[in-house]
Amino acid sequence: MNHTSDRFIDNSRAALANPVLQAALANLKRGFPINRAEVVADLPEFEELRNVARDIKDHTLDHLDVYLEIYERNVRASGGKVHWARNAKEARDTIMRICRDAGARTVTKGKSMVVEEIGLNEALDASEIRRVETDLGEYIIQLRDEPPSHIIVPAVHVTKEEIGDAFREAHEGLDPTRALSEPADITAEARTRLREAYFSAEVGITGANFLVAESGSSIIVTNEGNGDLTQTLARTHVVVASLEKIVPTMEDAFAILRLLARSSTGQEFSVYTSVSNGPKRSDDLDGPKAYHVVLVDNGRSSMLGTNQQDMLRCIQCAACINHCPVYSAVGGHAYGWIYPGPMGAVLTPSLTNIAASAHLPNASTFCGQCEQVCPMKIPLIKMMRHHRNSAHQQGHGGKVSKFALFFWSYFAGRPALYRTLTGIGVGVLAALAIGRGRLKSLPLVGGWTANRDLPAPEGGTFLTRYRRGER
Amino acid sequence: MSETRDVILSTIRQSLRRGPIYGEARAALEERIRSHPRHLIPSRAGQPPAALIDLFIAKARAASTSVVEVSDRGEIPQAVMDYLANENLPARLVQAPGLHDLDWAAAPTVEVRMGAAEKADEASLSKGLAGVAETGTLLLVSGPENPTTLNFVPPTHLVVLFRNDVVPAYEDAWDLLRVNGTNPRSANFITGPSRTGDIEQKIQIGVHGPLRLHLILVGR
Amino acid sequence: MKQIGPEPGTVPPIRVGLFVTCLVDFFRPSVGFATIKLLEQAGCKVEVPEIQTCCGQPAYNSGDPATARAVVLAWLDAFQDFDHVVVPSGSCGGMLSHHVPELFADDPVNGPRAKRLSERTHELTEFLVDVLRADLVPVHRGGAVTYHDSCAGLRELGVKQQPRGLLAKVRGLELHEMAEPEVCCGFGGTFCVKYSDISNAMVTNKIRDAEASGGDTVLAGDLGCLLNMAGKASREGSPLAFRHVAEALAGVDDIPPIAGTGVRQ
């Protein structure tokens, strides 16, 4: 997908000026965080479980090679096949080959962020294969030809009227008198249409919330049941997962699952937590005949051992996104790549490059709400700061701010000079603000005075007045 | 492909600044898997059996699962018939082969087919392996006795669960599978009917999976 | 006036170095004087080293740790002999007490020095309540206020109940909690200039919540947040007044608030 993180400022201006998006974002803020707070309060062990979950993932990442080997061995034992992909292109090529070998004309897809990341949608759409998104939100944005704007509610920015319009345009033979004005009508229409796809698809592609080394299992977590229909009804099931989805045992997965839905949508447990082990058994009456896992690296193995390793603990619950005041102001598209909010501000520079995405880790007040709610205790602020350091070292900090920083550090390091200068500054500002107590515009800080006044200094610096004996 | 695999594994080791793990260290990791130690289990799962059943039912209902209790398996067909009638649903269903010994004589109006679900099926009846009290979650496991499609395809899903199979926590449910030594193709933890909040974040029940999840809890 | 600290002449008083912060120095000296008053009333001997500028946070958060270290070294030199360093800011306090040790983690000489001083560095209300367990000298300061929890103080230092507990003892003062007092006001240091439009959206929400709280004066423990909120309220013509929590606790009323009148039309 197009990477427009370098246009973050323009993107965010457009988002702030979009009243439909602003209404949706206000709605989001009133939903998930409130539900989360309720279920967290109802589980006294929640804080301790965060430590447990962090330790499980840290242990796993420190031994990632071993657990991947064990996982692969157990997938094979249950009759599945494991494919490894170093980058997005290898992953796409592998999946396209599996689809063609399976004679795919229709492919159904569950929601998967790594599948977005590797650009599989574009590859499928450029081929003869029909792609059908089955997560309702993903289906909506597929019809509208848009990227997701949130990692768990991808169509959060779309109104029901817009969805109704998209359905009318795309659904052939839809009765023009049929009501599509309410969510229930839209849901019923989607149910009918997608049912056709589930039963006709040759290949069903899903992501995975966990891969379990112990049993070679893939686990998906959904509320709609779309992932289950995708992976159960197609002849071939393809699981696409990034390396860090692995955990050693089912006990490890359950410990983290206790945090996932609570942190994400504020449910105690998602409706469907489904464990898959290989293709259908000889006496099974249903299930896929073939089971493939595509393990995607795409930069993650190089994050290990660096100051970005902790990000590989992420379970993509979106708690950081749901609680981020910056996300809440501009929405997901402004971030310009697949992963928005704080987790995107950390992950995008690691998986792409800092030059194109330097805005993301910088566009944060470091307020810390993200860290406070992260179930995996990822030190998001520290990691954004690491990215800021890289951006600064590589000269992506912006010329004006670099100059300002130099200017500031010169005086901050020279207390006497600093005192003289601040004394003059206070005098100048006070003169400019005389009689009003505030300044409506000021050179160099136009970003401030565009939207706010600058309160005038009280008069005289503290240090000068203190030295004169004032108390 | 194996070359790609080796490149990825060796990159991982390089990044972690070590070589492959052999010997005792490797054995310790294999042992962690073999013994699969439990982590912290919420205290709500540690209640006495009667309270656990109450918790299970309350949590299931909170997740929009409807629950009816019957005293023995002989009462299941009647409970199914009553439920379908109350919901104004056709008296037809597809039943898990594992429930083949149900005597439908008590519910003669219900038309029963045995097998996996098909597109046109309107209701299904399957058997839960376990009920997890901590969140009112059902565990259903695939196999010739209990096809997975029954759980997802028909708009109405009825599940038979025996009271003795209500366990405190997810780990206890999974241990039932380990004891059996089975590694089924699919294990589904289900907590309520299908739902979505994808349209303006208004919760809609029944988007792709069942619109109704009805639990028949059997035993005294 | 009641003496709250140890009996005079029994134990030497606690020697506190006041790190006043660059924003207070420049914009709002009365916060510095209020802080001295509160600390002295609690029995401390307060000194203000002249060699102080900034906590280094602008550089630290802009990806320039080398410059931040240079600035912090000056702080280390100026304050290392005090029993405690007190800062009327959660943000600068968080920088000096939490981030400084990390900044010098690889420095065998300054690392241990930094760690020792950071451990003795506190945000004002946290110091008064958690370290001194001080009972403030009762003041009267009437009026309805609302309190904004500044992010760094709240999440890095756990400053939440301390200012509220102290405010509860101010006679005549009523605290009206706003919706979402813990949500960021959009200041964020250079953020508010670099990402001005987003910052504006955030501070707009904050002013709306503060206005709806029923309080006439917004209190906070950080001047950055206060200038941001006051500047926005002033531009919008809001009657809200803004003061640092130290001013409210010290009963300062001879200096006008940072913006606004606190009088609703």
Side-chain angles (χ1 to χ4, degrees), chain C residues 48-93:
Chain C
V48 182
E50 292 229 346
I51 304 179
Q52 56 173 299
T53 57
C54 172
C55 67
Q57 193 170 193
Y60 185 58
N61 282 348
S62 297
D64 188 358
T67 301
R69 271 191 288 272
V71 173
V72 171
L73 272 179
W75 170 74
L76 271 181
D77 291 340
F79 285 85
Q80 63 180 351
D81 294 332
F82 289 100
D83 295 333
H84 294 280
V85 182
V86 172
V87 191
S89 157
S91 178
C92 311

Side-chain angles (χ1 to χ4, degrees), chain A residues 273-285:
Chain A
T273 298
S274 297
V275 185
S276 294
N277 302 300
K280 99 186 245 195
R281 308 290 150 77
S282 56
D283 53 355
D284 274 346
L285 302 180

Side-chain angles (χ1 to χ4, degrees), chain A residues 50 320 368-374 377-382:
Chain A
R50 291 174 74 202
C320 61
Q369 269 198 287
C370 49
E371 279 189 16
Q372 196 180 348
V373 296
C374 175
K377 291 205 155 178
I378 299 170
L380 290 155
I381 291 183
K382 191 163 131 185

